[in-house]
Amino acid sequence: MGRMRKLLIPGVDKTLLVRDAVKSMPDLTRRRFISGGASLGALTLLTGCDVTDSFSAEEMLKQVSKFNDGVQALMFNPNAMAPTFPESAITKPFPFNAYYDLDEAPEVDGKTWKLEVRGLVENKKSWTLDELYQLPQVKQVTRHICVEGWSAIGSWTGTPLRDFLKLVGADTRAKYVWFQCADKDGYNSPLDMPSALHAQTQMTFKFGDEILPRAYGFPMKIRVPTKLGFKNPKYVLSMEVTNDYKGGFWEDQGYNSFSGS
Amino acid sequence: MSAVTVSDEHAASTKAKVIQPAWVRAMHWTNAFAMVLMIMSGWQIYNASPLFGFTFPRSITLGGWLAGGLLWHFAAMWLLMVNGLIYLVMGVVTGRFRKKLLPITPEGVISDTKAALTGKLSHDDLSRYNYVQKLLYAGIIVVGILIVLSGLALWKPVQLKYLAALFGGYEGARYVHFFCMAAIVAFMVVHVALALLVPKSLRAMIIGR
């Protein structure tokens, strides 16, 4: 059991992981897949509320997705860096992408905006943009990969999130850093702590050497090149260090929560 | 003494009648099921950001929308990969691949293709594959390995970046993954058509003989 405990990963609920592992045993899985196959027609209507069948393919898929969170957390190597590219490889124009049009993108006033820091941190002070700009910054040219499949190379500059977490005295044994954003309908997303502490995970203030434009998340986005695009929140208002899984805008709609690259 | 010999021969001929052993049949149909799930959910994912100027009709995709397609794809992948891995190990360990698929000679493929096109290809002994079958079956195993590897590269382009680099990076892997799918779909069309043309081959894959 001591060995087992070592194999388990921070950021993953141990009871859930074990329950998921048991659920993913071959026999049961196969039986469920077969029952799933029996009504493939009905399953193509799987839009979230259309399935009235009692066996619930949706429940099975959710469980496998949680199992996949655990597998991905195990596969995550904190020392594996996302490939970097020369500036000449940057995609121009870099696409604007959201669930709303550009003219609906949040217009945040940089003068009054403050980054709220909550949860398991020693210093809960809020940070103005000028204060954040004083922190040492690093540039990265990496590939942004969207859950939809397309990708684009961009240049992001900002403060490594792990440096900031250290600065505010965050409990880095906590499971998640949870971000809340200014997007309409309220965007939020949880980031598992190992990914938050990855050297390339960044509080981004600049795109292409210029102050982050509104299209890409002014005043601050979180750039996580080891995650799919939707795990890179823009227009960030607050971050909370927490052990609770608080869900996310897309995660709640069915995208795999870990979604690591 | 002679009675014993007869019954031995009888036993041997009964045994020889098993064209497709049970493990092959079980894995064949498991694979077929997993493949269909992977392809239909894959088309759903493709539609979210098409590589070419077309999308797949919604009615033949799985999952309802992108998230549903992804959930199916990343669930069925386990069935496909585990089944495929066991199949590859069994194929090598039992010597089935060597006995059934090798050797493949260009002359053999050419002459059997001619025979097939002129309707002269024999199907008397289903336990032995002709050269066209050998080439297609060996080829589709290679494509199967490629589609799984390119899929892993797409899933984990950072953690498995050296694998992704083999396919020309993330974007390259998208094309490899797509063309492998196209090859498998083309194979399935031909494979199913031929199985229906020679129904006893289909029976052999269901009941073994």
Side-chain angles (χ1 to χ4, degrees):
Chain A
M1 200 55 211
R3 199 179 123 74
M4 272 304 290
R5 206 162 287 144
K6 262 184 228 154
L7 285 172
L8 294 170
I9 343 87
V12 173
D13 186 298
K14 285 163 193 159
T15 358
L16 273 182
L17 185 63
V18 171
R19 205 192 300 156
D20 292 345
V22 170
K23 282 207 171 125
S24 69
M25 301 272 191
D27 261 351
L28 193 59
T29 314
R30 200 174 312 139
R31 220 174 303 137
R32 287 183 179 197
F33 268 111
I34 289 165
S35 63
S39 70
L40 269 185
L43 296 173
T44 57
L45 297 171
L46 190 72
T47 52
C49 50
D50 288 346
V51 173
T52 47
D53 286 354
S54 55
F55 79 85
S56 184
E58 222 175 326
E59 196 45 42
M60 181 272 294
L61 291 174
K62 262 187 211 163
Q63 294 300 330
V64 178
S65 193
K66 274 188 201 165
F67 170 74
N68 286 342
D69 285 339
V71 172
Q72 293 178 89
L74 277 174
M75 284 177 82
F76 179 79
N77 173 0
N79 300 314
M81 294 297 131
T84 53
F85 300 87
E87 305 242 341
S88 58
I90 292 170
T91 309
K92 286 174 185 162
F94 190 86
F96 164 80
N97 192 258
Y99 52 93
Y100 44 77
D101 294 330
L102 181 52
D103 56 15
E104 292 177 293
E107 278 183 283
V108 178
D109 181 356
K111 291 190 194 79
T112 55
W113 176 87
K114 275 187 178 182
L115 174 70
E116 202 186 310
V117 181
R118 294 196 312 265
L120 305 170
V121 294
E122 280 165 19
N123 188 349
K124 292 192 173 70
K125 151 192 157 52
S126 292
W127 291 69
T128 66
L129 201 47
D130 282 339
E131 288 169 334
L132 289 170
Y133 283 166
Q134 303 303 313
L135 302 173
Q137 298 190 0
V138 191
K139 176 153 76 174
Q140 62 170 275
V141 179
T142 48
R143 184 184 293 280
H144 169 105
I145 297 173
C146 181
V147 65
E148 293 170 339
W150 58 267
S151 75
I153 295 172
S155 158
W156 291 274
T157 304
T159 303
L161 178 60
R162 65 176 181 188
D163 293 352
F164 184 76
L165 289 174
K166 205 172 165 186
L167 195 63
V168 299
D171 180 359
T172 51
R173 294 163 306 173
K175 288 179 182 170
Y176 305 100
V177 182
W178 189 59
F179 298 98
Q180 281 184 299
C181 307
D183 311 57
K184 67 174 198 142
D185 305 332
Y187 196 88
N188 50 55
S189 185
L191 185 64
D192 58 282
M193 188 58 79
S195 297
L197 296 175
H198 187 272
Q200 288 172 309
T201 301
Q202 181 190 84
M203 295 162 75
T204 301
F205 303 111
K206 285 180 180 166
F207 183 87
D209 299 325
E210 291 181 10
I211 293 297
L212 202 61
R214 179 182 166 205
Y216 304 147
F218 181 81
M220 182 178 98
K221 84 168 253 151
I222 304 295
R223 172 69 189 135
V224 194
T226 55
K227 295 276 192 197
L228 293 180
F230 77 93
K231 304 286 294 183
N232 290 234
K234 301 174 280 190
Y235 320 102
V236 176
L237 295 176
S238 72
M239 67 169 78
E240 179 175 342
V241 177
T242 174
N243 277 312
D244 301 326
Y245 181 76
K246 303 201 169 194
F249 182 86
W250 285 115
E251 291 85 345
D252 295 348
Q253 296 180 58
Y255 287 151
N256 173 264
S257 186
F258 195 90
S259 283
S261 293
Chain B
M1 199 56 201
S2 69
V4 172
T5 318
V6 168
S7 77
D8 267 2
E9 269 171 14
H10 181 71
S13 72
T14 315
K15 204 181 167 209
K17 267 190 190 164
V18 176
I19 299 164
Q20 307 291 5
W23 69 268
V24 170
R25 284 177 275 141
M27 289 190 169
H28 171 271
W29 293 110
T30 306
N31 182 63
F33 178 62
M35 274 289 181
V36 169
L37 290 182
M38 289 304 275
I39 291 169
M40 288 175 67
S41 57
W43 288 344
Q44 180 77 253
I45 298 166
Y46 168 95
N47 282 356
S49 179
L51 285 174
F52 304 102
F54 69 91
T55 54
F56 294 95
R58 207 172 173 273
S59 56
I60 54 168
T61 63
L62 185 61
W65 70 298
L66 177 59
L70 287 164
L71 287 175
W72 275 108
H73 210 66
F74 291 118
M77 74 169 183
W78 293 113
L79 188 64
L80 184 86
M81 284 200 297
V82 171
N83 186 66
L85 255 181
I86 300 172
Y87 173 76
L88 289 180
V89 170
M90 289 289 283
V92 171
V93 169
T94 63
R96 180 181 167 88
F97 288 163
R98 189 170 36 80
K99 278 180 274 182
K100 291 270 191 177
L101 302 179
L102 297 178
I104 303 173
T105 62
E107 301 82 45
V109 173
I110 291 167
S111 70
D112 277 354
T113 306
K114 277 184 191 158
L117 293 176
T118 52
K120 287 175 191 150
L121 198 60
S122 166
H123 304 297
D124 291 342
D125 183 2
L126 288 178
S127 65
R128 290 187 57 195
Y129 292 148
N130 62 57
Y131 280 99
V132 179
Q133 280 178 303
K134 285 184 183 186
L135 182 69
L136 286 179
Y137 294 158
I140 206 67
I141 291 172
V142 173
V143 173
I145 293 169
L146 275 179
I147 203 166
V148 168
L149 292 180
S150 58
L152 287 172
L154 289 176
W155 188 41
K156 291 277 157 260
V158 174
Q159 304 305 325
L160 305 175
K161 62 180 165 186
Y162 299 106
L163 179 66
L166 285 181
F167 296 108
Y170 174 80
E171 285 293 335
R174 289 181 77 193
Y175 286 91
V176 173
H177 203 59
F178 179 89
F179 286 117
C180 286
M181 177 280 294
I184 290 169
V185 172
F187 171 87
M188 279 168 82
V189 170
V190 175
H191 185 62
V192 171
L194 292 179
L196 294 176
L197 273 175
V198 189
K200 60 181 176 178
S201 69
L202 181 58
R203 191 190 65 186
M205 193 47 88
I206 297 170
I207 61 169
R209 57 192 76 200

